[in-house]
Each structure stands twice: as C-alpha cells, then as structure tokens.
Amino acid sequence: MHPRLAWLVLLALLPGGCGNSGMAGLLPALGWPEVLQRLPIATEEEPVADPATGRAIRLWIGRRGTRAALLQELGERRLWRTSSGVVVATDGGRVVATSGLREVLAATRFDGPDPLANPAALLDRTVEARRMVDLMRADREPAGMRFGIAVECRLRARRTEEDAVLLVEERCRAGREGRFTNRYWVAPEGGAVLRAEQWVGPGAPVLALEFSPAS
C-alpha cells in the first residue's frame, strides 16, 4: 500500500479522536521477562477480532492497554483497530500510520530499506537510516499539518540477558519535533518483532505493541 494511501484509509475509518500527550508511557530498556511483568492490565473492552482469522495484537497507548483487531492485510502491511476507535497501520513490526489519537502519524517514507527488516545485521554495530514522516492534528486544520519531516536515526541491536530475543534501539532526531528512542524486541531466528515501543508524534502518547506469533 502506498504510504499516502495508508493514511487516507486511516482517516476514512475515523473522523477524529483523542489521546494522552507526552512520552511518560515509555518503558525503560528492560529484559523481556521484566517487561512482561510491568505491563498494565487491559482496561478497555476487547474488540471482536477478524472473523476469518481471529487475529489481534495487544496495544498500549501510553499506559492504557487494550487489544486491536486486524482490519486489513496486504503483505507486511496491516491495519489494526481498538474498541475505542484507534487505528494503527504497521509494516512488519513498525508503526507507519495512526488515526484516532490527538495527533496523527499520517505517513512514513524511508530513504532506502528499513534496517529493522534485518535486525541480525544490527548486532553490535550502528546503522544509520533516514525517513520522512507527515504529522497532523486530529482536527485536520491546516495549521496543524506538517509534511516531509526528516527523521534521522541510528539503530543498534544487542542480545538481552536471557538471550531469547534481540533488543533493537533506534535513537532518532526529528528536527523541531524533538528527539526520541524507539525499542523493538525481535526473535533471533527470522527477525520477527515480538514487541515494539514507538514514538508516533510529539503530541501523541508512545505506542507499545505486542505481537503474537500469528500476527
């Protein structure tokens, strides 16, 4: 799906939404068992999963946890929706667009391949990557639209203490939008993302996603 088409689909699904602001929900870089112990309990009613597959992911918006059911799938691109109406587009384990939050990540475009697609190549070495993102507020007023924001990142992977997963840290700078760090826990074999904590805009809460093996 073309990046701009992805956010058009998201905006078509919802007229708007709201959410918490800031990065207070960002969890520290802990080992996988510690992360699981610290996760909050889901507080929203869980949505009905896709009737054909029953697939869903766990999603935390800041510290508020819920499930997001699969809406649409095209290759590695997937759309997920919570019962409260938040919609998230993922490409593999990375969030590339959102809807239903106070601030919307409208599109993500990489200059070259996404290094997260090959996490084993990031072990004990730093790889630089650049992407462009479009941001807008939920009210879609022109004053809140920012297009073509350059995000410069450095990615590096390390083995966790239990050696069951790799932890990829992505340290980024997005010009006037500030600095942030994304974290991805990935399976050593195959590189599937098991859990992700990702910035989706300075006016939106950090999103944390937990993928099941089938998702």
Side-chain angles (χ1 to χ4, degrees):
M1 183 183 295
H2 191 278
R4 291 190 179 275
L5 180 59
W7 79 260
L8 286 172
V9 171
L10 290 169
L11 293 179
L13 286 168
L14 287 172
C18 61
N20 299 324
S21 61
M23 299 186 69
L26 185 64
L27 299 179
L30 303 173
W32 183 246
E34 294 172 292
V35 169
L36 294 179
Q37 292 174 6
R38 290 168 63 97
L39 294 181
I41 298 173
T43 56
E44 294 182 6
E45 180 182 354
E46 295 183 358
V48 177
D50 178 86
T53 66
R55 291 163 65 184
I57 59 174
R58 294 293 301 278
L59 175 68
W60 287 263
I61 305 169
R63 300 295 294 180
R64 179 165 50 90
T66 185
R67 285 189 181 272
L70 180 67
L71 289 180
Q72 181 180 332
E73 181 176 22
L74 181 61
E76 289 297 310
R77 288 254 176 164
R78 299 179 178 93
L79 288 178
W80 312 88
R81 183 169 60 190
T82 72
S83 59
S84 63
V86 173
V87 180
V88 174
T90 59
D91 190 344
R94 182 186 293 279
V95 176
V96 293
T98 63
S99 181
L101 300 173
R102 180 178 301 167
E103 184 166 270
V104 173
L105 174 61
T108 302
R109 302 174 297 281
F110 268 88
D111 290 347
D114 183 353
L116 189 61
N118 186 14
L122 304 173
L123 269 173
D124 301 322
R125 62 188 293 260
T126 300
V127 174
E128 296 185 355
R130 185 175 187 269
R131 61 183 178 270
M132 308 292 285
V133 300
D134 299 337
L135 300 171
M136 66 177 64
R137 289 197 292 265
D139 58 17
R140 306 182 210 169
E141 291 295 325
M145 297 180 178
R146 289 100 74 205
F147 297 105
I149 299 168
V151 181
E152 308 279 350
C153 300
R154 292 186 174 185
L155 296 88
R156 188 180 182 89
R158 62 178 174 84
R159 298 189 183 277
T160 57
E161 292 183 1
E162 64 276 10
D163 208 31
V165 296
L166 304 179
L167 172 59
V168 178
E169 290 191 319
E170 181 182 44
R171 301 181 184 276
C172 303
R173 181 179 67 250
R176 291 184 299 177
E177 306 301 332
R179 296 174 180 265
F180 56 89
T181 299
N182 296 330
R183 296 181 176 89
Y184 305 89
W185 283 262
V186 303
E189 299 296 331
V193 175
L194 305 174
R195 177 177 167 82
E197 295 170 3
Q198 186 174 326
W199 175 93
V200 291
V206 169
L207 296 186
L209 303 89
E210 185 178 314
F211 299 88
S212 67
S215 62

